[in-house]
Amino acid sequence: MTTPLPQGFRAYATNLGIKDSSLDFVVVAADHECAASGLFTQSHFAGPSVRVSREHVKDLRARAVVVTSKNANVATGTQGLADAREIVARVATSLGAQPDDVLIAQTGVIGRLLPMDRIRSGLAALPSPLPSTDADVVAKAIMTTDTVHKIASAQAGAAMVVGVAKGVGMIEPNMATMISIILTDALVNPADLDAMFRRVVDRTFNAVSIDSDTSTSDTAIVLASGSAGPVDPIALEAALHEVALSLTKQVARDGEGATKLIEVCVDGATDDRQAKRVAKAIVNSPLVKTAVHGADPNWGRVAMAVGKCSDEAGIDEQRVVIRFGDQEVFPIQVDAEGLERLSAYMRGAEVRIHVSLGIAQGSATVWGCDLSDGYVRINADYTT
């Protein structure tokens, strides 16, 4: 069973020979210019795709998104920037659009120029109109080391929201994460869509971490065609959040070498910012991640991760409560039988760590994964 694109969108995916014979190119386009928003990495090594898309989405309008995978086109100088602009211009010409109506995302190995001769040949054969309304094809075409394609959908009144994402490594977001494209046929004011998307990203894509490394190419884009007419703004934001949260968890669950999804909830913090900072310290800790991988209820590693947030005011050991699942492990001491129950719980596919700081009302939930030898092998051999 496939997931259809929302009304007003069509797509085309193919192989251009960027690295191998798998899908490595996709373009998704609306019938006309529509409301748009984009959030991107804050890396000082941000790739040309990020720089071009930032320019083109400033007016909160766009018509299409093009993604090339298997080569990030990062740290490639003026030639890399020229290549990204050329791809955008060629796609725009094929669509009968202006170049600044087209956004671009690129993902893969850093520091290598694109094989532009092969890309030009492939772009010359772009069909018009775009032939597909299958969102699954879009999700598959943006994959790199992903083991599964990632897709989610939700309803908002008469409108549909459909999102796809890729990303399993180099994920610790700063304004966005991985690559994600969310499409809706709701009619919405561009400024309202932008505000909604920023709130949603902060609670979802900005709350996932695989390995604490921020990508040079992080891109999250939303387009709204308007074909389904206006919908209740609260319902639309809820649907955007549902889709983004599903994609966030799918990314965390598919982390490179991962065997378990980790959810960390921190509450009782000074504010939400502090709660997220502490939660990220826990989910990013290699010692916590390896303990989860080994089903070892070593709550001392969680205490360590909380404690190392030494510049966060108000954290006091005497007020902190740590739980694995629903079982309190600190300050209440767990006996041998309780530890065995906890170990059994941690052998499951999902592990929840809950820390209450006992300061105020701030809270945040973040997601990540365990750390296995598979992660080392994937990344040790990545370019060879």
Side-chain angles (χ1 to χ4, degrees):
M1 184 176 179
T2 61
T3 304
L5 294 170
Q7 297 178 64
F9 292 100
R10 301 187 68 83
Y12 173 68
T14 190
N15 170 261
L16 300 183
I18 293 175
K19 182 179 180 183
D20 53 34
S21 60
S22 62
L23 292 174
D24 57 20
F25 172 88
V26 64
V27 58
V28 183
D31 296 334
H32 49 76
E33 186 185 67
C34 54
S37 178
L39 296 173
F40 308 94
T41 183
Q42 297 298 296
S43 168
H44 291 301
F45 262 81
S49 64
V50 168
R51 293 159 63 187
V52 170
S53 291
R54 276 183 183 144
E55 293 174 12
H56 290 188
V57 81
K58 274 184 179 179
D59 63 354
L60 302 182
R61 310 288 300 186
R63 182 175 170 192
V65 181
V66 56
V67 182
T68 63
S69 64
K70 315 299 193 292
N71 184 324
N73 186 28
V74 169
T76 48
T78 56
Q79 185 60 55
L81 182 59
D83 291 343
R85 293 194 188 281
E86 181 179 345
I87 291 170
V88 163
R90 288 177 178 270
V91 170
T93 298
S94 177
L95 296 173
Q98 296 299 313
D100 59 6
D101 286 334
V102 178
L103 310 181
I104 182 171
Q106 297 177 305
T107 178
V109 177
I110 291 171
R112 298 181 181 176
L113 289 169
L114 293 164
M116 287 303 294
D117 288 345
R118 275 174 271 170
I119 290 174
R120 290 183 189 107
S121 296
L123 293 180
L126 278 180
S128 182
L130 302 180
S132 177
T133 58
D134 182 359
D136 289 79
V137 171
V138 179
K140 291 173 182 176
I142 64 177
M143 293 168 61
T144 49
T145 55
D146 305 64
T147 65
V148 294
H149 68 285
K150 301 166 181 66
I151 189 166
S153 62
Q155 199 76 29
M160 177 64 71
V161 177
V162 175
V164 301
K166 66 79 53 184
V168 288
M170 201 185 288
I171 292 181
E172 165 65 272
N174 186 1
M175 292 300 293
T177 184
M178 63 212 172
I179 290 177
S180 180
I181 303 168
I182 298 180
L183 307 170
T184 179
D185 45 21
L187 179 63
V188 56
N189 176 274
D192 292 339
L193 179 65
D194 181 61
M196 287 180 195
F197 195 51
R198 289 175 183 276
R199 289 192 294 267
V200 165
V201 165
D202 191 54
R203 291 178 287 142
T204 56
F205 296 155
N206 261 355
V208 62
S209 179
I210 301 300
D211 47 22
S212 79
D213 286 334
T214 298
S215 170
T216 58
S217 307
D218 294 341
T219 299
I221 289 167
V222 62
L223 299 179
S225 71
S227 298
V231 299
D232 177 65
I234 295 174
L236 178 58
E237 184 164 346
L240 289 169
H241 182 268
E242 180 180 343
V243 167
L245 181 58
S246 175
L247 294 173
T248 295
K249 291 183 177 181
Q250 290 178 56
V251 166
R253 188 174 282 111
D254 193 33
E256 288 174 338
T259 66
K260 303 174 190 293
L261 173 71
I262 302 174
E263 179 178 278
V264 178
C265 173
V266 173
D267 58 22
T270 301
D271 51 28
D272 293 351
R273 181 209 59 79
Q274 184 185 65
K276 181 181 281 189
R277 166 80 192 287
V278 174
K280 283 288 190 71
I282 297 167
V283 83
N284 280 332
S285 165
L287 291 175
V288 172
K289 289 162 128 356
T290 50
V292 171
H293 180 70
D296 178 12
N298 188 343
W299 59 264
R301 295 183 178 183
V302 177
M304 172 279 300
V306 175
K308 72 179 181 181
C309 299
S310 55
D311 56 346
E312 291 294 334
I315 297 177
D316 182 350
E317 172 189 338
Q318 302 301 317
R319 293 198 295 260
V320 173
V321 177
I322 300 172
R323 300 177 181 87
F324 286 179
D326 295 326
Q327 174 65 56
E328 183 175 325
V329 295
F330 176 82
I332 291 177
Q333 297 297 304
V334 182
D335 60 20
E337 184 179 343
L339 288 174
E340 181 52 40
R341 286 197 304 270
L342 281 173
S343 185
Y345 165 73
M346 293 178 70
R347 286 194 287 271
E350 299 186 13
V351 173
R352 186 172 192 266
I353 299 171
H354 179 194
V355 175
S356 295
L357 297 180
I359 304 170
Q361 304 302 312
S363 65
T365 302
V366 303
W367 295 269
C369 62
D370 60 335
L371 179 61
S372 73
D373 56 352
Y375 179 88
V376 177
R377 285 270 51 88
I378 289 168
N379 286 286
D381 302 334
Y382 184 60
T383 63
T384 55

